[in-house]
């Protein structure tokens, strides 16, 4: 049974199969969608009702108790920040002073806030200074992973969330990677063997939508227009490491430490840049 719903800023497709009645398969897919939506609602950066929004409003003033799900996602993001020495960054700086005060100030501006200013102890979080957390693509990957916690024994599932794909029963099959072309030509399609149970693809060729991948560390768009796919044991890893690969294409040892593989495709030739590593 295949169903589709608008979630996570894209269309999420859920395929569930098994020797069960149609009503049971329908109920399973409904649970998957509900858990994905709940995760999105917890960690939305823009929704004023979300837990993450509440964290960003309060954590620089006081310690905030948060859900285990949000704590897990933030802990993973902090670990990735540490392992990449800040090339991956989950914070967005925020100066709490009025704009008029900032403009009139003659003092040297302080260094921008970063991941080191986030203290997470279990499910308690506190910021050392005013800042905001944006979990970005981690939310999409973690939401897909949470959906898989709703599966019963004997039911297989595939979830496709706009570039993030995970399957419950990994088989050595092929996936087709759609490669946008920077010259405006028809996107190419590259078929490669599936390397793990989850894969995420990101192209910094969002040229036509004027939304290139942005480096929070360098404060500017990334000029690399290649398409990156990361195969990993779960979708949260795949999503986060795909963004990391665009920020730092030479981070092969990092992928290996997470049990992941990276594959890069040149948008001009639709040729693989070596084998997955």
């Amino acid at each position: 049974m295949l169903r589709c719903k608008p979630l996570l800023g894209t269309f999420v497709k859920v395929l569930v199969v098994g020797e069960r009645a149609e009503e049971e398969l329908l109920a399973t897919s409904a649970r998957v969608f509900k858990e994905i939506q709940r995760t999105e609602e917890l960690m939305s950066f823009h929704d004023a009702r979300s837990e993450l929004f509440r964290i960003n409003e309060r954590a620089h003033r006081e310690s905030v108790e948060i859900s285990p799900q949000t704590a897990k996602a933030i802990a993973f993001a902090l670990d990735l920040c540490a392992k990449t020495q800040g090339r991956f960054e989950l914070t967005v700086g925020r100066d709490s002073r009025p704009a008029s005060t900032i403009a009139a100030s003659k003092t040297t501006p302080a260094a921008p806030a970063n991941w080191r200013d986030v203290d997470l102890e279990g499910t308690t979080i506190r910021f050392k200074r005013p800042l905001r957390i944006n979990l970005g693509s981690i939310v999409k990957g973690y939401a897909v992973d949470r959906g898989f916690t709703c599966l019963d024994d004997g039911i297989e599932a595939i979830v496709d969330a706009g570039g993030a794909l995970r399957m419950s029963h990994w088989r050595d099959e092929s996936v087709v990677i759609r490669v946008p072309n920077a010259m405006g030509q028809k996107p190419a399609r590259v078929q490669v063997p599936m390397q793990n149970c989850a894969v995420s693809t990101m192209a910094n060729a969002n040229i036509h939508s004027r939304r290139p991948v942005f480096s929070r560390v360098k404060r500017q768009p990334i000029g690399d227009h290649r398409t990156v796919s990361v195969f990993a044991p779960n979708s949260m890893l795949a999503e986060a490491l795909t963004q990391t690969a665009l920020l730092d294409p030479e981070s092969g040892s990092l992928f290996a430490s997470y049990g992941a593989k990276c594959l890069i495709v040149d948008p001009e030739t639709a040729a693989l840049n070596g084998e997955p590593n």
Side-chain angles (χ1 to χ4, degrees):
M1 175 178 292
L2 176 63
R3 300 178 66 198
C4 179
K5 284 189 175 184
L7 289 168
L8 304 170
T10 185
F11 287 99
V12 177
K13 299 176 183 177
V14 175
L15 173 67
V16 290
V17 297
E19 296 182 359
R20 306 290 179 87
E22 182 176 342
E23 293 78 7
E24 189 170 350
L25 294 177
L26 182 63
T28 297
S29 64
R31 289 196 299 271
V32 173
F33 279 123
K34 184 176 181 180
E35 189 62 28
I36 290 174
Q37 182 175 359
R38 178 174 179 270
T39 303
E40 181 181 25
E41 291 171 349
L42 278 174
M43 305 179 202
S44 170
F45 179 73
H46 300 287
D47 190 344
R49 298 166 297 180
S50 76
E51 183 174 56
L52 184 63
F53 195 94
R54 178 170 60 88
I55 292 169
N56 286 335
E57 289 296 303
R58 294 173 48 193
H60 67 286
R61 298 191 300 265
E62 60 185 359
S63 296
V64 179
E65 188 69 21
I66 62 178
S67 67
Q69 293 89 346
T70 302
K72 181 176 180 179
I74 293 174
F76 167 74
L78 289 172
D79 181 68
L80 187 56
C81 288
K83 287 184 175 179
T84 61
Q85 298 181 337
R87 291 188 295 277
F88 179 91
E89 179 59 61
L90 84 160
T91 66
V92 180
R94 178 177 64 184
D95 197 313
S96 59
R97 295 174 296 165
S100 58
T101 303
I102 297 173
S105 175
K106 296 182 180 180
T107 60
T108 303
N114 60 44
W115 63 276
R116 293 183 177 87
D117 296 309
V118 178
D119 281 335
L120 178 68
E121 294 290 339
T123 56
T124 302
I125 191 167
R126 178 76 186 261
F127 299 159
K128 298 177 183 177
R129 56 196 293 194
L131 59 85
R132 290 174 292 175
I133 286 176
N134 187 349
L135 292 169
S137 60
I138 288 178
V139 177
K140 181 165 72 171
Y142 188 44
V144 170
D145 293 335
R146 290 296 306 169
F148 275 80
T149 65
C150 302
L151 299 179
D152 298 327
D153 292 339
I155 293 182
E156 300 184 14
I158 297 177
V159 175
D160 182 356
L165 184 146
R166 178 173 171 174
M167 57 181 66
S168 60
H169 294 66
W170 174 44
R171 298 185 179 88
D172 189 13
E173 299 173 345
S174 296
V175 293
V176 176
I177 298 172
R178 183 176 177 272
V179 185
N181 191 292
M183 303 303 293
Q185 300 173 2
K186 183 178 180 180
R189 295 177 179 272
V190 179
Q191 185 169 331
V192 297
M194 189 69 176
Q195 304 289 320
N196 214 320
C197 66
V199 60
S200 175
T201 297
M202 183 180 293
N204 194 27
N206 292 326
I207 300 171
H208 309 300
S209 64
R210 301 179 183 272
R211 293 178 61 189
V213 176
F214 191 85
S215 171
R216 299 182 199 168
V217 177
K218 295 183 179 180
R219 313 290 177 178
Q220 62 187 19
I222 300 169
D224 192 337
H225 293 150
R226 294 178 295 175
T227 294
V228 173
S229 294
V230 171
F231 299 85
N234 60 63
S235 282
M236 182 168 67
L237 269 172
E239 280 286 297
L241 294 180
T242 301
Q243 181 178 341
T244 303
L246 281 173
L247 294 169
D248 184 9
E250 304 302 322
S251 51
S253 60
L254 174 69
F255 304 132
S257 72
Y258 282 112
K261 295 184 178 181
C262 177
L263 181 150
I264 299 175
V265 185
D266 187 318
E268 304 299 331
T269 63
L272 300 182
N273 185 2
E275 294 299 318
N277 53 55

